[in-house]
DNA sequence: CCAAAAGTGTTGCCTTTACACCCATGT
DNA sequence: ACATGGGTGTAAAGGCAACACTTTTGG
């Protein structure tokens, strides 16, 4: 079987291409139907995990994360943030390899340190693609994430925590929402990430005061009630705000 | 020569003890005479670098940083914070090994990824100890740090940046000052880290409002002017503040 | 015409900022 | 005595939180 050979090659010769001992894992956040979602992979053995990958010898760790993300979502230009590196001594990739011949000789055997990144992506644009070791790749509601391999649940927790903290000095939305969105939608996003309710009117004032939103002529019609205005981020001003940092205080 | 053998052993057999490809580097901050200081090592070849180390197979990455710190400063219970992982493809430890026989066969050869930690230590308590590859270990004024190996200057920059950001939601001082200190000393510390002047009176109000300071009966005598009160952190309240996070906003 | 959601403005509080006066100490 | 730094209080400003009224839309 072809895949069998591919796997053997990867296990026995992968270290020609990839650095051993170091991996990258990505917590990919999406936002859909007022819920934060996380993209997960299912291994052939049924266990779920974060999309991850290895670092090529000639590639930076950041680039490795970009590549991993690109491979799972088919998206480019994704917002990506390194958030923590996980290095407990029992983090053994090798444990995944049970029952595979020669696995003891593999560069995958033994301990790995993993560098965690979180990504913010536009849910509707993602077409989840399993990797060649997995048979499924899809979105999970953040609050319903199943038990994951190793410390991946901890990674999700930590990523969320860091994302929350970042709201105190950086805007969010450009990466998670569609190009045009309404103020209530943006508010729903903030409320979901922070897991707390915000005052509608004060929220709008705060957001507009950042000067990074552009109100469009159109409104979002089709809803059951008064049609809300559509907004769009001014990309240049948004990026300037991301760089400089702000004082939001949520 | 004994050291020669020790080096050869380390280069050729070090991977029995340490994980290849992964290292830890520490930006150790101290505060002395109104200046932020960084502890640096000088290699035998004259180049300066951050104190760093490798990760033992059975040790967590955090523990490895703790050990490194302990070895350089002879201190325990140090405040330590992982702040970033550096993984550019040209980060080669091997470049250090020029001229050493068999260095190509060493686990030190080829690329390393390094996990950066910053530490806050009480300057006066530190007795800097060079490691066995270095002939000097001492404090440098943060603004006078020389050119360091690899990307270590970048690490110092990033550590400082993260430390500054942390002031917005965490107190600082317990780790950098002596047990008893005056309000002006604490203010000087904040001003130095932030590199900006603060109003004396407003600073005091803000600090006291945190409820983590205890004013002592004594005053600091010997100065040229009015004797300022001495303060001390209430350790329990300080730690609670560190955990919960605050809203300082500097 | 009613319920539910969205747009807008106002008020009061509380935090932050700016600033002034008095006190202690060494020269 | 005076220059310098430290301790304390207060008034104005600005930001934030609480809140009310009107408008629009589908049912």
């Amino acid at each position: 079987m072809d895949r069998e050979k591919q796997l053997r090659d990867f296990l026995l010769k992968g270290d020609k291409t990839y650095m051993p001992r170091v991996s990258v894992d990505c917590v990919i956040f999406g936002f859909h139907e007022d819920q934060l979602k996380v993209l997960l992979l299912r291994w052939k053995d049924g266990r779920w995990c974060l999309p991850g990958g290895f670092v090529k010898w000639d590639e930076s760790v950041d680039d490795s994360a970009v590549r991993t993300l690109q491979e799972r979502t088919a998206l480019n230009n994704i917002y990506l943030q390194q958030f923590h590196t996980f290095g407990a001594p029992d983090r053994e990739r090798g444990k995944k390899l049970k029952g595979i011949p020669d696995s003891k000789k593999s560069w995958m055997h033994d301990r790995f340190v993993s560098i965690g990144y979180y990504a913010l992506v536009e849910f509707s644009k993602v077409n989840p693609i399993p990797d060649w070791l997995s048979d499924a790749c899809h979105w999970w509601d953040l609050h319903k994430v199943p038990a994951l391999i190793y410390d991946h649940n901890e990674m999700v927790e930590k990523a969320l925590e860091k994302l929350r903290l970042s709201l105190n000095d950086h805007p969010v939305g450009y990466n998670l929402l569609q190009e045009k969105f309404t103020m209530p939608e943006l508010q729903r996003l903030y409320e979901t990430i922070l897991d707390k309710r915000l005052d509608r009117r004060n929220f709008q004032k705060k957001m507009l005061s950042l000067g990074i939103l552009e109100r469009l002529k159109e409104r979002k019609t089709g809803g059951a009630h008064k049609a809300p205005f559509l907004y769009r981020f001014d990309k240049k001003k948004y990026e300037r705000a991301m760089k400089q940092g702000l004082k939001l205080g949520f």
Side-chain angles (χ1 to χ4, degrees), chain A:
Chain A
M1 182 181 174
D2 207 23
R3 211 189 129 268
E4 195 71 20
K5 181 180 183 314
Q6 190 184 14
L7 181 59
R8 269 187 71 88
D9 263 24
F10 182 68
L11 289 177
L12 297 178
K13 299 180 198 161
D15 57 342
K16 303 280 184 220
T17 311
Y18 302 104
M19 274 180 86
R21 309 278 77 81
V22 179
S23 62
V24 161
D25 286 300
C26 297
V27 180
I28 306 174
F29 289 113
F31 186 63
H32 186 61
E33 290 177 344
D34 293 349
Q35 298 288 341
L36 268 181
K37 308 281 184 179
V38 185
L39 198 62
L40 299 177
L41 284 177
R42 187 176 61 206
W43 286 83
K44 309 273 187 191
D45 69 1
R47 292 186 299 165
W48 289 88
C49 68
L50 290 171
F54 302 100
V55 182
K56 292 185 183 174
W57 282 105
D58 61 352
E59 164 187 75
S60 77
V61 170
D62 285 357
D63 286 345
S64 165
V66 169
R67 185 172 48 81
T68 300
L69 228 75
Q70 215 277 330
E71 288 171 2
R72 291 304 131 257
T73 64
L75 292 181
N76 293 309
N77 269 95
I78 290 181
Y79 177 80
L80 198 58
Q81 187 72 38
Q82 187 195 304
F83 70 93
H84 193 74
T85 294
F86 297 81
D90 59 351
R91 302 192 82 267
E92 297 212 9
R93 290 266 163 189
K95 288 182 182 166
K96 268 184 197 166
L97 308 176
K98 285 183 296 195
I100 292 176
D102 289 325
S103 71
K104 289 267 182 195
K105 287 183 220 157
S106 171
W107 62 290
M108 294 271 285
H109 193 256
D110 265 338
R111 177 178 173 193
F112 269 72
V113 160
S114 190
I115 303 163
Y117 286 77
Y118 69 81
L120 306 179
V121 303
E122 199 183 311
F123 184 88
S124 64
K125 283 202 180 149
V126 174
N127 191 10
I129 309 163
D131 66 21
W132 60 279
L133 290 167
S134 309
D135 63 2
C137 177
H138 62 73
W139 292 102
W140 283 75
D141 193 302
L142 182 62
H143 297 296
K144 293 172 187 162
V145 167
L148 307 175
I149 61 170
Y150 314 147
D151 49 5
H152 284 200
N153 289 94
E154 190 192 333
M155 287 187 183
V156 173
E157 284 308 308
K158 190 108 186 171
L160 179 60
E161 186 192 316
K162 292 291 183 109
L163 173 59
R164 268 185 195 150
L165 286 176
S166 93
L167 292 199
N168 285 315
D169 33 32
H170 295 280
V172 75
Y174 183 81
N175 317 280
L176 285 166
L177 299 173
Q178 296 186 283
E179 193 201 348
K180 298 174 182 179
F181 54 89
T182 69
M183 193 59 78
E185 279 166 1
L186 183 60
Q187 182 178 344
R188 232 68 59 63
L189 172 61
Y190 271 81
E191 289 181 333
T192 307
I193 295 177
L194 293 166
D195 195 27
K196 73 176 174 192
R197 323 220 98 247
L198 301 170
D199 182 274
R200 192 163 55 88
R201 299 151 278 199
N202 295 334
F203 178 80
Q204 169 147 347
K205 262 177 287 183
K206 190 175 259 184
M207 282 301 134
L208 292 178
S209 76
L210 300 181
I212 57 177
L213 283 174
E214 183 188 352
R215 179 192 277 192
L216 304 179
K217 295 271 186 293
E218 335 160 47
R219 289 165 179 259
K220 170 127 179 172
T221 56
H225 305 289
K226 180 171 181 175
F229 283 105
L230 283 168
Y231 291 84
R232 157 169 74 197
F233 285 107
D234 179 319
K235 194 170 181 217
K236 291 204 173 158
K237 292 180 182 166
Y238 186 90
E239 282 173 354
R240 203 179 315 141
M242 288 298 279
K243 268 184 199 147
Q244 294 181 350
L246 302 166
K247 221 168 152 179
L248 277 293
F250 279 103

